[in-house]
């Protein structure tokens, strides 16, 4: 039994590592692989991060953030002095004069914008926490930033369906939070 398990494990690892050398034509025959070279839908879901790494290694970029459909009432004016690779920017010296406010996290001083996966991995939700002030105004502005998507107000947070973390973070940094 132990030998059989070792063989199965080595085959699965070899399958993942072998996907690096597979030609790009396998993406045409396997739509679930999305050019990642996975053998099954389950592997593609389980190792989605490896697909992102492979696309970046091949020079392909992620999909650009959705451009706003309407006009923002509060346009981005702040340009951060430093932007690290993980998206961190230093908090501004003077907070912006807006009807809403987003407080940074206590540890690390990050903007509280998160991505959550719900409904058995079938729905991605972007969440903004630590908000104060006129939440309805922020909800309207965030809807414009997210391309007209519906923004739901929950207890102490705003949620929007879809992957909008990058766009919302850039918008909040531009506002001066």
């Amino acid at each position: 039994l132990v030998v059989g398990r070792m063989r199965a494990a080595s085959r699965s690892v070899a399958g993942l590592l072998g996907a690096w050398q597979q030609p790009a034509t396998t993406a045409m025959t396997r739509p679930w692989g999305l050019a990642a070279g996975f053998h099954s839908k389950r592997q593609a879901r389980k190792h989605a991060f490896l697909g992102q790494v492979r696309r970046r290694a091949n020079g392909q970029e992620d999909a650009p953030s959705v451009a706003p459909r309407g006009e923002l009432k509060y346009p981005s004016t702040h340009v951060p002095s430093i932007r690290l690779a993980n998206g961190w920017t230093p908090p501004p010296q003077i907070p912006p004069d807006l009807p809403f406010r987003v407080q940074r996290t206590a540890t690390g001083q990050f903007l509280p914008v998160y991505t959550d996966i719900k409904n058995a991995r079938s729905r991605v939700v972007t969440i903004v926490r630590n908000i104060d002030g006129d939440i309805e105004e922020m909800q309207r502005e965030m809807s414009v930033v997210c391309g007209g998507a519906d923004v739901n107000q929950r207890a102490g947070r705003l949620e929007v369906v879809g992957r909008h973390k990058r766009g919302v973070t850039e918008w909040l940094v531009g506002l001066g939070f």
Side-chain angles (χ1 to χ4, degrees):
L1 264 180
V2 173
V3 173
R5 287 184 185 165
M6 289 175 57
R7 286 182 186 160
S10 66
R11 271 185 267 143
S12 65
V13 171
L16 288 174
L17 294 177
W20 286 89
Q21 288 90 19
Q22 287 184 354
T25 57
T26 58
M28 301 297 180
T29 59
R30 293 189 203 117
W32 57 82
L34 300 175
F38 291 113
H39 298 287
S40 68
K41 291 180 189 178
R42 184 175 183 183
Q43 274 187 339
R45 280 194 312 265
K46 186 176 177 184
H47 304 286
F49 176 72
L50 292 177
Q52 292 172 0
V53 170
R54 288 187 195 116
R55 283 193 297 276
R56 289 182 186 147
N58 291 335
Q60 300 172 355
E61 291 294 323
D62 290 340
S65 59
V66 178
R69 292 185 183 176
E71 286 295 317
L72 290 172
K73 189 174 181 181
Y74 306 102
S76 299
T77 56
H78 178 74
V79 178
S81 58
I82 301 170
R83 183 180 298 261
L84 297 182
N86 61 358
W88 183 86
T89 58
Q93 300 292 337
I94 302 169
D97 185 28
L98 296 172
F100 53 87
R101 183 168 182 232
V102 178
Q103 296 177 358
R104 291 185 174 235
T105 59
T107 57
Q109 293 294 307
F110 283 94
L111 283 169
V113 181
Y114 307 98
T115 303
D116 193 13
I117 300 174
K118 297 186 176 189
N119 290 358
R121 298 182 187 176
S122 65
R123 187 173 69 151
V124 179
V125 178
T126 302
I127 301 170
V128 179
R129 296 182 186 160
N130 298 344
I131 53 178
D132 292 325
D134 190 2
I135 297 176
E136 286 80 20
E137 185 67 29
M138 183 175 178
Q139 191 174 3
R140 284 190 291 272
E141 288 288 301
M142 195 168 146
S143 176
V144 172
V145 169
C146 295
D150 291 332
V151 179
N152 301 319
Q153 183 177 350
R154 303 280 187 236
R157 65 180 187 234
L158 292 177
E159 294 183 357
V160 60
V161 176
R163 288 189 191 272
H164 302 286
K165 181 178 178 180
R166 182 180 292 162
V168 170
T169 303
E170 289 175 2
W171 170 64
L172 290 174
V173 167
L175 288 178
F177 290 114

